[in-house]
Amino acid sequence: PCFGKCPNYKITIMNTGKVTYEGIQFTDKIGLYSKQLSSKQLSQIQKRMEDINLFEMNSKYDSNITDIPAVALFIIYKANKKKIYDRYGGPKDLREFEKLIDSIVIDDQLIKVEE
């Protein structure tokens, strides 16, 4: 995370649509949460990945500036694997994809997992 109060969380989406969300710091939801995506939501994410040619993007978009938010994507889809570190200078399509994931996952349907 950045040195300020950038949200720090981890989202995992399985090919079944099962989601786990782990809020670590500076986010409204701290702790482990879960939810199930609809087939429509899962298809929306998959289609967007294909539309923006996510697997053709660079693996790193970075800068010497260290105190800015960053996103680390790890994707396995249709036998393709891709890691993308996006801190600075990533394509607009990538940023929009990251926001799409957040908008689909982070909502009131997340259920707190008992620890």
Side-chain angles (χ1 to χ4, degrees):
C2 67
F3 296 119
K5 294 188 177 188
C6 299
N8 186 359
Y9 56 90
K10 177 181 177 182
I11 294 172
T12 303
I13 302 173
M14 305 303 289
N15 63 356
T16 61
K18 181 178 178 183
V19 172
T20 57
Y21 169 94
E22 182 182 1
I24 300 165
Q25 156 180 49
F26 304 119
T27 181
D28 290 340
K29 296 181 185 307
I30 300 292
L32 196 58
Y33 291 77
S34 177
K35 75 184 269 188
Q36 179 68 40
L37 297 182
S38 69
S39 57
K40 182 180 178 182
Q41 290 171 314
L42 195 55
S43 292
Q44 183 181 8
I45 292 168
Q46 293 167 341
K47 182 177 182 328
R48 189 68 185 139
M49 279 192 312
E50 292 171 0
D51 288 349
I52 66 173
N53 295 314
L54 187 88
F55 291 95
E56 304 302 317
M57 291 184 178
N58 294 339
S59 295
K60 193 172 191 179
Y61 299 96
D62 205 358
S63 156
N64 291 333
I65 304 167
T66 57
D67 190 25
I68 53 177
V71 175
L73 291 173
F74 304 99
I75 300 169
I76 301 172
Y77 176 67
K78 292 186 177 180
N80 294 307
K81 293 181 183 181
K82 185 72 174 186
K83 291 181 183 181
I84 302 176
Y85 182 76
D86 181 20
R87 180 164 42 187
Y88 181 81
K92 180 181 176 189
D93 285 342
L94 179 59
R95 297 285 171 140
E96 289 173 354
F97 178 73
E98 296 161 1
K99 288 177 185 176
L100 173 67
I101 297 292
D102 282 354
S103 71
I104 288 175
V105 171
I106 305 171
D107 62 15
D108 292 336
Q109 293 179 4
L110 283 170
I111 299 169
K112 179 89 169 171
V113 174
E114 295 299 322
E115 298 179 22

